[in-house]
Amino acid sequence: MSSGVRDDERFAQAAEVLEQVISPASAALGAESPRVLALRSRRAAILVIGGDFRHALPEFDALAAAYARTAGPTSEDALECLRQAAHCRAELGQATTALRQFRQVLTHVRAASGDASPTALDLRRNIGMLLLSEGKTVEAAGELQPLHDDLCVVYGPRHEETREVADVLARPTRRRRVAQPYCGPHPIGLSRTA
């Protein structure tokens, strides 16, 4: 059995274990208690890490709505769940809705912490790369060029993220017209090795 298959099975098992904990916790504490929402967020993140975007998407949608009710629609948790739902949609080929959600989150992040905060920079990269994956090269360049300029100021021209965006911008236009795979964020700060 390959390492990737074992990892996917491990993440699926972890999600199942959390599901078994969530039901009784929800009954005892309430479906929208902070602890239950945190457990559900963790489970959804594990589903994404395991590549199960189809099951993670409705959970992130439900979590975004729950956090919007309990903490406010512009709370950090509500926006992060909306962002993760957008990531799932992008991975599932629902680019139009994903772009709308990424932009919605970016609007709130910009208002709260500016255009060059780490979260705003990451969202801007997601938007540019998703546009590029959809073959919208002019729109993508319109997002990625100012992002590159800001990355140069924030991190410097030699930083890995700055170089990555510069490399994308340097590709010949005819090659950029070929759909590139979407490369989104790690869910809620988790890595594949978590």
Side-chain angles (χ1 to χ4, degrees):
M1 188 180 325
S2 74
S3 173
V5 172
R6 279 195 308 262
D7 287 346
D8 289 348
E9 287 177 4
R10 183 174 56 126
F11 291 121
Q13 289 172 345
E16 287 175 23
V17 168
L18 275 173
E19 183 60 35
Q20 293 171 1
V21 172
I22 290 168
S23 293
S26 182
L29 302 172
E32 293 187 352
S33 80
R35 287 183 179 174
V36 171
L37 293 177
L39 287 170
R40 289 175 58 197
S41 296
R42 183 76 174 169
R43 180 180 175 275
I46 289 170
L47 290 170
V48 168
I49 293 169
D52 191 353
F53 304 107
R54 194 160 310 285
H55 287 104
L57 175 57
E59 184 64 4
F60 277 122
D61 282 341
L63 282 163
Y67 279 121
R69 283 189 300 276
T70 61
T74 60
S75 68
E76 187 176 326
D77 289 326
L79 292 176
E80 183 58 31
C81 289
L82 185 60
R83 177 181 175 187
Q84 292 304 323
H87 168 64
C88 291
R89 283 188 168 83
E91 292 290 346
L92 293 169
Q94 301 172 15
T96 301
T97 306
L99 282 168
R100 181 179 46 77
Q101 286 183 317
F102 278 136
R103 286 183 171 134
Q104 180 183 357
V105 175
L106 180 58
T107 297
H108 294 295
V109 169
R110 280 178 167 154
S113 55
D115 207 33
S117 69
T119 303
L121 293 171
D122 191 47
L123 283 161
R124 292 168 62 196
R125 179 189 167 280
N126 293 146
I127 291 167
M129 296 304 284
L130 186 52
L131 287 167
L132 189 62
S133 75
E134 291 295 299
K136 298 178 179 180
T137 57
V138 174
E139 287 180 68
E143 296 284 343
L144 293 173
Q145 187 59 60
L147 172 62
H148 178 262
D149 296 343
D150 288 348
L151 287 169
C152 284
V153 171
V154 173
Y155 298 131
R158 295 180 192 266
H159 189 273
E160 180 181 349
E161 290 180 41
T162 308
R163 287 194 327 254
E164 177 188 332
V165 173
D167 289 346
V168 170
L169 288 167
R171 292 181 192 156
T173 302
R174 62 184 156 74
R175 285 183 59 208
R176 271 193 257 148
R177 285 196 179 111
V178 176
Q180 303 291 319
Y182 169 74
C183 181
H186 291 294
I188 314 179
L190 298 175
S191 70
R192 181 94 174 147
T193 58

